[in-house]
Amino acid sequence: MTTRTGCRHFVSVKDFTADEIIDVIDLADTLKQERVAGAEPPRLAGKTLGMIFQKPSLRTRVSFETGMTQLGGHAIYLAPADISLGQRETTEDIALVLSRYCDLIMARVFGHDIVTEMARHATVPVINGLSDREHPCQILADLQTIRERRGGLAGVRCVYSGDGNNVAHSLMYGAALTGMHLAVVTPPGFEPDGDILADARQLGETRDARITATTDLAAASRDADVIYTDVWASMGQEEEAEARKAKFAAYQVNETLLANAAADVTVLHCLPAHYGEEITYTASRVPGSAIFDQAENRLHAQKALMVRLG
Ligand code: CP
Ligand code: NVA
């Protein structure tokens, strides 16, 4: 997304081209190696990241904040009560004010329209740290993780089982841009957004990415290379959590499901996990599980993103 102020934003995975996504993941790999070698140049020295949170976070907050420190910059955490986005002050004014202090803004919000509005008005790059529609930073880390585990992305057969939510939407765009095959498997009534599905399919055509939405988990997961799941009720849907348990029970990632997939299947979960609901504890700890690599790669992938935007 480029707004009238002319700066680049990362509000959706598809704000970047396929080449740009690969470039960010390549840089993330380099940053990861540099960190292991203890030889990291301070690529963002003197830069400040403003981080707005309307919702709780462990990974997003800590990975962005430590990432900025490691790059020689500084991050400021703005908790929900600090700025009361939309109540104490308008999104437009917050974007304009933060743009006068900060070099980058990251926002975790309820409505996707809030982060797009912020990007429209900000004169510095805005990064979506999760909205009700997308979680693009998560998918950068996931693509890095899948490539580490599977040796590539094009042609990898990935199955997402659970709610057709923000993570599923961003994963669809991620698959489209890298040529992964993706089946999003949900209970009836919890399918991903139809417009995003159509958009991702069209975007993925040139790379032969097969992106489907189905309710048949057994068929979709047969010989799958990657099985991914996320909570059944997202932040903001807590009152639906109990009622969803019965509807989603057949979509749990467990040992029976993994036995149907490739023998070396990679198991992914963006975390936080609700063990015994969308994934069993045992399934989360199989040798193919990469869930803590995913969490670690948030750090490297977002550092790479900030370097490219900053
Ligand atoms: N996966 C993820 O975004 O985690 P947090 O909600 O803890 O930031
Ligand atoms: N779909 C989840 C992802 C959490 C990282 C949520 O929005 O709560």
Side-chain angles (χ1 to χ4, degrees):
M1 182 175 179
T2 306
T3 49
R4 62 183 163 76
T5 58
C7 71
R8 292 293 303 275
H9 303 288
F10 190 64
V11 168
S12 164
V13 171
K14 72 170 208 163
D15 285 341
F16 278 21
T17 63
D19 286 348
E20 286 171 331
I21 293 283
I22 296 299
D23 168 63
V24 169
I25 302 169
D26 287 346
L27 179 58
D29 284 347
T30 302
L31 295 175
K32 190 170 183 173
Q33 286 157 12
E34 284 179 358
R35 182 130 196 90
V36 173
E40 271 190 289
R43 291 178 171 86
L44 293 181
K47 304 265 186 181
T48 300
L49 168 73
M51 306 190 297
I52 299 170
F53 283 88
Q54 281 194 317
K55 297 175 180 174
S57 170
L58 173 67
R59 281 145 291 272
T60 304
R61 181 199 172 166
V62 179
S63 56
F64 267 108
E65 193 165 332
T66 54
M68 204 52 179
T69 303
Q70 290 168 11
L71 289 165
H74 173 62
I76 301 171
Y77 172 66
L78 298 160
D82 287 336
I83 56 174
S84 299
L85 210 158
Q87 290 164 3
R88 184 169 183 265
E89 208 158 355
T90 64
T91 302
E92 176 178 351
D93 284 6
I94 291 170
L96 290 170
V97 170
L98 280 183
S99 297
R100 300 289 180 107
Y101 302 131
C102 299
D103 302 285
L104 290 158
I105 298 169
M106 189 278 293
R108 165 166 287 196
V109 297
F110 282 99
H112 189 71
D113 55 323
I114 299 172
V115 69
T116 53
E117 195 185 346
M118 192 155 296
R120 206 161 47 245
H121 296 290
T123 57
V124 299
V126 171
I127 297 168
N128 179 1
L130 181 147
S131 66
D132 58 0
R133 186 179 166 92
E134 277 208 54
H135 196 0
C137 296
Q138 179 65 54
I139 268 50
L140 289 180
D142 299 343
L143 293 174
Q144 184 186 8
T145 309
I146 294 169
R147 196 171 69 169
E148 284 172 345
R149 291 286 177 132
R150 311 303 311 181
L153 293 166
V156 167
R157 291 157 303 160
C158 181
V159 172
Y160 170 95
S161 180
D163 185 27
N165 62 15
N166 43 12
V167 170
H169 291 157
S170 289
L171 190 61
M172 285 155 62
Y173 283 134
L177 289 171
T178 58
M180 274 200 308
H181 305 310
L182 173 66
V184 176
V185 194
T186 67
F190 296 91
E191 294 85 358
D193 181 278
D195 291 339
I196 296 181
L197 177 64
D199 199 22
R201 275 186 172 159
Q202 195 182 12
L203 194 63
E205 262 172 23
T206 51
R207 276 166 293 275
D208 278 338
R210 284 197 306 272
I211 300 167
T212 54
T214 170
T215 57
D216 186 346
L217 183 58
S221 61
R222 198 161 302 126
D223 300 326
D225 300 314
V226 176
I227 294 196
Y228 193 148
T229 191
D230 181 20
V231 290
W232 291 336
S234 286
M235 291 180 277
Q237 297 175 326
E238 287 77 7
E239 73 291 347
E240 291 179 44
E242 210 44 48
R244 285 188 178 209
K245 282 182 188 167
K247 293 178 183 157
F248 280 79
Y251 296 83
Q252 184 187 64
V253 174
N254 54 33
E255 298 82 312
T256 311
L257 181 73
L258 299 187
N260 191 40
D264 65 342
V265 63
T266 300
V267 176
L268 299 180
H269 192 311
C270 59
L271 301 177
H274 293 164
Y275 296 116
E277 294 182 25
E278 75 277 0
I279 191 165
T280 59
Y281 181 82
T282 312
S284 76
R285 263 53 177 185
V286 295
S289 172
I291 65 177
F292 296 105
D293 293 348
Q294 272 179 284
E296 178 188 335
N297 286 339
R298 293 290 302 276
L299 174 70
H300 310 300
Q302 289 159 193
K303 283 168 73 179
L305 175 67
M306 290 192 288
V307 168
R308 288 299 183 240
L309 288 176

